[in-house]
Structures are given as structure tokens and as C-alpha cells.
Amino acid sequence: MNIKVFDTTLRDGEQTPGVSLTQQEKLRIATKLDEIGIDYIEAGSAITSKGERKSIKGIAQQGFNAEILSFSRPLSVDIDYCLECDVDGVNLVVPTSDLHISDKLKITRDELIQLSNNAVDYCKDHGLIVELSAEDASRSDTDFLKSVYLSAINHGADRICVCDTVGILTPDSSFELFDKLNEDINVPIAAHCHNDFGLAVANTLSALKGGATEFHSTINGIGERAGNTSFEECVVSIDRLLTNFSTNVNIHEIYDISKLVARSTGVYIQPNKAIVGENAFAHESGIHSDGIIKNSATYEPMTPELVGRKRKFVIGKHMGTHGLENRLKEIGLSVNKTQLQQICNDIKELADKGKTVTDVDLHVIADNVLEINHEDRIKLDELTIVSGNKIMPTASVKITFDDEEILNAGVGLGPVDAAINAVKTVDAFSDVELIEYHVDAITGGTDAFIDVIIKLQKGDKVVSARGTEPDIINASVKAYISGVNRLLRD
């Protein structure tokens, strides 16, 4: 069975506290959603603002394969704004629980059905596709809920949606609810689950087994409170775990859309998040690394490449010699068994002190064991910063590159940005991309030592580097130059 995917990242996802997307960001995300095969895109809520309507209309006019919808209450003013945006259809949201009907709307059940039907009529008279979503459906009287749906269908509703608005369903109750609704409803049924109890994905999968043919989700599971059904977790679970179910999504592009949404919204993805978290395909344990090297299926339920990822072996106290040897080969070092064991022991000793072991640390440890001394091609001789609340941060540097003295300057949003920009003007840095920047204060107080850890990429090579100084600017530049020296040696 082919399952349709309704993406609400641009509406429900944007309701995540602190998230506000620009028109350009919304269009960029919508474009990617269409490219990867999303069936329905809820581009926003037209009633929200003039700027929101401009964003929705801009998406609707792109000619995407996906159906473009706007959220709408069962009010003509909302629907008129949707029409103004040239959308294909509306996600018409109607509260159906007695709690919402009596306490929020302060009307009767009969009045609610009339309100819903009038809205459906108005939408259909104006050529709109209607997906009728019952808000708080999971706390509604099931017989009344069914009557709302059937009445709306008689008035022309094209699809209906069950909203678990406060995430109170369980997998068992989700299956039962959808199975019961499916007995009498002959239009597509969708599941819209929230994650208040961490069950959104499980409830969605149970809904599909119960007869739903569509589900609502957001990229990375973002949304108000605990978020919505996680798109990537649900799509991959359907592909890998549910027999005879499929979607139109190109799952090889999942990691790309996840990163795009994370960057655009500023919502951090926890490292251990399924599918897209940084640790999802990372291995440190010696037992796991050994098994992965022999057969990846031993400790991975899918290949990382399936979802656009790459496997990585993490350097740390739990790693074994097999994983370490594999990592050393990746960076071009060949060692014998004695040297391998010594490098492993030195890494464990460092990690036991609470230190994060980076690629730079690994190189230093390996160099010491192998008695290799590298001469850095780039050296920082001088760094001067001018900054303040009334002037643009400016930096000047004197660098020695292959024995040639170079003077450069740069400006930035802050002193660290200015310093890095000044350093980047050297030719050796031209094709190096800074992909991660992390700062920790090692000790307390304003005089604390600052530990800066960065990741740099050049082509398909990625290295970590660190700099530890009392001054965050010096620590950042030190880490940056250290990483580039590492890249130049590889």
C-alpha cells in the first residue's frame, strides 16, 4: 500500500518556540520537500499575516508536483485568505472534543457540525481540495467524531484527518480508533500525531496498520511542545519495518532535508536522534566496531548510505584496536600490533581524564608512538583585533606559509569571525570549509581557559582540531590553523 506523506514543517513545525522562517527559507525548504517526493505540503497558515500569505503564495506558484495547502479554521475569512494565496487546498481544522466545543468555542455539537459543513461547502464552491482535520480527535466521542467526518464527506470533503492533539494515544488505542473509523469512511484517512509522551511515531505506524493511508509529520519532529511525528523516523520505519507499505519519498535524501531544516530553524538535533542524529551511525565500543568491520549488519539495522549518511568510528576510551586500526588507515597511517596497542592505551589514558579525543589528538599520539615529527606549513606569528560596540570588528594577522611571510586583514560580525576571515585570505584556506564550531569554558570565571573544537572539510576529507587558550579568539585561530595544517599533510 502506498502511503501519502503530508508535511507540516512550514506550519506546525514553525510553531516551535523561537522559530520564525523567512520567505526565502520557506521556499527553499518547500523546494526540497517537493524534490524528495512529499505528496502534500502545508505551506503555512494564511490568516497569520501578510508576510505569511506572501510566503504561501510564492510556494503555490512554483508548479510543484506536491499539493500545496494552507491551514484554515472553519471561517470564511480564513478561507478567503487561502484563496488569495492560490493554494490547491486547505487543511480545514475543526475541534471535535466536548472540551474544545464547549470550553473553547462555546457552542453545541450540532452547531459544530453546521459550522464544519458550511466551511466545507464554501471551500468546494471555490474549487479548493479539503482535508478535514478533527482537532483533539483522540479525546472526542468516537461516534460523534464519525458523524462529523461523514457529514463533511457528504458535503464534499476529499480527505479526513485524525488529530492526536495532545499526544494521548497509545499504539493499541491508535490502531483501534483508526480501525473503527475505517469501517464506515470511504475517503483517505490521515493521522496527525503529537509527541507529548514520545509515542508519535509508534502511534502513526499503528494508525497505518489500522487503515490510515496518509500521515502528517515534520522534518526532525519539530513542533510545539514535544513536537510532531518525526518525518524521517516514520518514513524509514515504513520502508524497513512495515511489510507491504511504501511511500513516494526518496529516502537517500533524508539527511539533506534534515540538515536544511535544522540550519534554517536553528533547532538543534540531539546527537542520539534516530536516523539523522550525529551518533546514529557512529561506533566507539570495541565490540561494536569489530562487528561492524566484519559485517555492518551486526550492529546497524540499515546502511548509513540508505539515508544519505556515512558511518564513522569514534575515538574514545571504549574503542578497541579493530576500530582504531580502521581509523588510522583512513588517515593514512600503517602501524604494527605493538604500535597499535600503544596508541590505543594512550587514547584511553587521555579519555580517562575526561578529555574529548579529536582527530588532532589521535595524530599527535600516533606521531609520538611512531616518532614522526611534522613541520607545520602554516604558523601564526601575530594577531591583532580591534572591536567594540561602535565599530566593525577588524583583525590583522601575520602568517608564515611555507616560509613566506603574509600580512592580511579581515572584518566580521564579531572578533572571532573577523580573525578567522583574516586567516582565510591565505590561499591554503581557500577550499577549506568550517562545518562545526564548539566552545567550552574548562574552568569557571571570566579567566577560564577556553576549549575550542572545530571540524574542517576539504573535498571529502573531514578533520577535527582544537585550541585551548585563556583567550577565545586565540583559541579559535589556533584550532583553525591546526586543522588546516592537518588537511595539508593528508
Side-chain angles (χ1 to χ4, degrees), residues 315-317 319-321 324 328 337-353 357 362 365 369:
I315 307 163
K317 64 191 289 187
M319 78 181 308
T321 54
L324 176 58
L328 289 169
K337 289 185 177 180
T338 302
Q339 292 167 332
L340 178 64
Q341 189 59 59
Q342 184 58 55
I343 294 171
C344 188
N345 292 341
D346 290 349
I347 287 172
K348 291 177 182 288
E349 182 179 350
L350 190 62
D352 279 338
K353 296 176 182 178
V357 184
L362 174 61
I365 291 170
V369 171

Side-chain angles (χ1 to χ4, degrees), residues 252-274:
H252 301 294
E253 300 289 330
I254 279 179
Y255 189 48
D256 285 345
I257 186 69
S258 170
K259 290 192 296 182
L260 172 60
V261 171
R263 288 194 305 269
S264 300
T265 60
V267 178
Y268 170 74
I269 302 173
Q270 67 268 32
N272 64 327
K273 188 180 188 306

Side-chain angles (χ1 to χ4, degrees), residues 161-201:
C161 176
V162 177
C163 299
D164 184 19
T165 301
V166 291
I168 55 109
L169 288 175
T170 65
D172 287 344
S173 63
S174 178
F175 175 85
E176 292 169 3
L177 176 58
F178 281 85
D179 187 50
K180 186 173 183 179
L181 292 172
N182 197 45
E183 292 174 358
D184 301 311
I185 293 175
N186 58 5
V187 299
I189 305 175
H192 179 110
C193 296
H194 282 261
N195 203 40
D196 295 80
F197 289 88
L199 296 172
V201 171

Side-chain angles (χ1 to χ4, degrees), residues 110-239:
D110 288 341
E111 288 173 324
L112 185 282
I113 291 179
Q114 189 61 49
L115 181 69
S116 172
N117 290 341
N118 288 344
V120 174
D121 288 339
Y122 193 78
C123 289
K124 300 308 294 183
D125 287 345
H126 289 82
L128 290 169
I129 297 168
V130 175
E131 178 160 325
L132 185 84
S133 291
E135 185 180 15
D136 210 22
S138 53
R139 293 192 294 185
S140 301
D141 175 78
T142 305
D143 290 334
F144 174 68
L145 176 65
K146 187 179 293 187
S147 68
V148 173
Y149 285 142
L150 291 174
S151 185
I153 292 167
N154 287 335
H155 282 257
D158 301 277
R159 306 188 296 267
I160 61 105
C161 176
V162 177
C163 299
D164 184 19
T165 301
V166 291
I168 55 109
L169 288 175
T170 65
D172 287 344
S173 63
S174 178
F175 175 85
E176 292 169 3
L177 176 58
F178 281 85
D179 187 50
K180 186 173 183 179
L181 292 172
N182 197 45
E183 292 174 358
D184 301 311
I185 293 175
N186 58 5
V187 299
I189 305 175
H192 179 110
C193 296
H194 282 261
N195 203 40
D196 295 80
F197 289 88
L199 296 172
V201 171
N203 289 337
T204 299
L205 297 179
S206 290
L208 298 178
K209 292 180 179 179
T213 56
E214 173 195 329
F215 69 89
H216 292 201
S217 62
T218 60
I219 306 299
N220 300 330
I222 62 173
E224 54 197 337
R225 302 188 315 280
N228 291 45
T229 297
S230 167
F231 159 79
E232 57 283 350
E233 294 174 21
C234 210
V235 168
V236 176
S237 293
I238 291 170
D239 182 81

Side-chain angles (χ1 to χ4, degrees), residues 414-481:
V416 172
D417 189 39
I420 296 298
N421 286 339
V423 172
K424 284 167 63 176
T425 55
V426 179
D427 288 342
F429 295 77
S430 59
D431 55 352
V432 174
E433 181 184 0
L434 176 64
I435 58 175
E436 190 173 312
Y437 176 85
H438 182 75
V439 179
D440 280 319
I442 298 175
T443 56
T446 56
D447 59 347
F449 267 81
I450 304 299
D451 192 27
V452 175
I453 300 175
I454 66 172
K455 283 186 180 179
L456 299 177
Q457 182 169 2
K458 181 179 182 181
D460 59 353
K461 297 177 182 177
V462 178
V463 300
S464 298
R466 78 188 309 149
T468 304
E469 297 278 346
D471 185 298
I472 188 174
I473 304 169
N474 286 329
S476 300
V477 174
K478 179 181 177 181
Y480 196 85
I481 291 178

